[in-house]
Amino acid sequence: ISSMKNSIFWLPKLSHCNHVSVLSPQICKKDFEGFKKLFHRFLQVKGPSVEWPKINRPPEDSIQPYEKIREKGLPENVANSLNKLVVVKLNGGLGTSMGCKGPKSLISVRNENTFLDLTVQQIEHLNKTYNTDVPLVLMNSFNTDEDTRKILQKYTHHRVKIHTFNQSRYPRINKESLLPVAKDMGLVGESADGWYPPGHGDIYASFYNSGLLEQLIAEGKEYIFVSNIDNLGATVDLHILNHLVSQPNGKRCEFIMEVTDKTRADVKGGTLIQYEGKLRLLEIAQVPKAHVDEFKSVSKFKIFNTNNLWISLAAIKRLQEQNAMDMEIIVNPKTLNGGLNVIQLETAVGAAIKCFDNALGINVPRSRFLPVKTTSDLLLVMSNLYSLEAGSLTMSEKREFPTTPHVKLGSSFTKVQEYLIRFESIPDMLELDHLTVSGDVTFGKNVSLKGTVIIIANHGDRIDIPAGSMLENKIVSGNLRILDH
């Protein structure tokens, strides 16, 4: 208990922000107030945040099929709706899991275009097509802010207004003592590991605290469309936007979560449930251990959250001012480089769904969920499975199946730099169902992959797939070297 008290008393000592010139004392103070609230709640909460017997399936009308929304058609004045919209991209993540330094949004994903390039192209295309003014807002973290701001200069002549604001910065907590690891406010040296951005649920407080929320409301904006910047399927959907703005005032929907059908690859994704009369997001971290298998089953929980969200700006303002934004705490354990075990207290943006009025799920096509988390995902979006137009990727009409192939690249492909060296050109994958590659494997130019292809180079062996090869329902193993001559 004394360590808990110490943890709380520690906060005001650092709230003067003596060591950092880039953060204003006001921002630091708000960060610490936010952390203090989260930490207090963490100390008070005992046991799982849901009681399993109380979980019910959502009522039929609370998750609408996308087709039903689309059937309404579009009004003539699409521009009126678009002028009420702001696109927000969650841009706090680094590309470390793919072996890259700096913001993940600056990784090239298609024809030398980065995630950020594609996003800007999409919004610029909307603004030019409909003669509108849809701004782009990036929620950066202290990890990505500086590099992102530098790159934004290249878009000054594009028809998109770009704003940024920063996620909060919270101290990591020693798992044993529950004391903060950071010794000062610095982000270099010993204290660099002491801080973390507290998950995308922080968007509500940091957006509000930045003053940008107020500014956008004053400009006549009513809704934000929020998504992860690495989800290449998360484009502005005019039918969903029209559904939002065409609701009668008393029934105005304040929050829409796009969900999509779960496959075996999505068993860990959060799902929508009915709980104590409210629509609520259930994440795997909240599930009691005894029920994890049930949660993962595709039969009971059929849909998962894509993290594409449409949210009312006025409602965010109201809930922030009433201190009524309630999100479950996610306790994220980490081990720092020196072996120290710490915890990060985080929240998820979708968890706030229960706080908003007339919240709704829309079951969208899988094409709206195209995240690039690994080089296996990157291979799919770089291939001829997709065509690129105005920043948007669409599945090629030449592909006969609506689903993407299952691709699993081994550890030799984990880092983007290594992955790129191993492909002289991206293979033709239009007729591919499944690809597994393991070990030291390289691909020559103009390789074609069809059906199920498994390529395994054992330890010490190397396989070079010759240029122009066509592999259909093949297993390749052993040692295959193509010598230069």
Side-chain angles (χ1 to χ4, degrees), residues 266-464:
D266 314 305
V267 291
K268 292 183 179 177
T271 193
L272 280 180
I273 56 170
Q274 182 84 350
Y275 193 87
E276 296 178 339
K278 284 274 197 178
L279 207 54
R280 180 159 162 175
L281 179 67
L282 178 66
E283 298 275 12
I284 194 164
Q286 296 159 247
V287 178
K289 279 197 172 66
H291 296 281
V292 166
D293 287 342
E294 197 180 336
F295 174 81
K296 288 180 176 180
S297 88
V298 181
S299 54
K300 180 163 183 178
F301 299 103
K302 292 182 165 62
I303 47 128
F304 74 97
N305 167 28
T306 63
N307 224 33
N308 300 347
L309 309 167
W310 304 73
I311 313 172
S312 156
L313 286 166
I316 295 174
K317 182 173 187 277
R318 180 189 78 234
L319 290 166
Q320 278 299 126
E321 288 174 350
Q322 292 174 356
N323 199 16
M325 202 69 84
D326 176 26
M327 291 166 282
E328 290 74 34
I329 296 172
I330 299 164
V331 180
N332 189 355
K334 296 262 181 189
T335 303
L336 302 186
N337 284 339
L340 181 68
N341 291 323
V342 298
I343 51 174
Q344 299 180 176
L345 304 181
E346 302 176 7
T347 54
V349 57
I353 188 169
K354 62 184 181 188
C355 309
F356 290 84
D357 293 338
N358 303 314
L360 183 68
I362 296 182
N363 192 342
V364 296
R366 180 74 184 204
S367 57
R368 290 192 57 73
F369 184 67
L370 188 57
V372 180
K373 302 289 183 192
T374 62
T375 50
S376 301
D377 300 329
L378 193 56
L379 182 63
L380 290 172
V381 299
M382 289 178 87
S383 76
N384 60 345
L385 287 164
Y386 292 96
S387 53
L388 177 67
E389 193 178 339
S392 298
L393 289 180
T394 47
M395 179 76 80
S396 168
E397 290 175 4
K398 294 176 186 170
R399 171 106 175 142
E400 290 181 10
F401 323 104
T403 54
T404 52
H406 186 68
V407 172
K408 201 171 176 188
L409 300 178
S411 56
S412 304
F413 292 79
T414 303
K415 294 183 175 176
V416 173
Q417 262 51 48
E418 291 174 5
Y419 153 90
L420 291 171
I421 290 165
R422 292 183 177 278
F423 289 98
E424 273 197 63
S425 71
I426 302 298
D428 171 354
M429 293 164 56
L430 280 173
E431 295 178 47
L432 180 70
D433 299 323
H434 179 109
L435 173 68
T436 293
V437 184
S438 176
D440 186 359
V441 179
T442 63
F443 292 78
K445 276 190 176 163
N446 304 323
V447 171
S448 181
L449 305 172
K450 299 181 180 185
T452 296
V453 178
I454 297 169
I455 306 169
I456 297 172
N458 295 324
H459 185 67
D461 288 347
R462 175 170 155 185
I463 294 176
D464 294 331

Side-chain angles (χ1 to χ4, degrees), residues 143-190:
N143 289 318
T144 62
D145 186 54
E146 193 178 338
D147 289 340
T148 301
R149 280 169 179 271
K150 281 179 193 164
I151 217 84
L152 289 182
Q153 292 167 8
K154 78 185 238 192
Y155 306 116
T156 42
H157 299 297
H158 287 66
R159 189 168 164 176
V160 184
K161 283 185 192 149
I162 304 178
H163 307 276
T164 65
F165 69 94
N166 264 19
Q167 253 175 297
S168 304
R169 173 153 78 105
Y170 285 3
R172 284 179 168 144
I173 301 297
N174 182 315
K175 193 177 179 181
E176 301 305 319
S177 67
L178 293 184
L179 286 166
V181 175
K183 298 289 181 276
D184 58 44
M185 289 296 297
L187 287 172
V188 290
E190 278 184 39

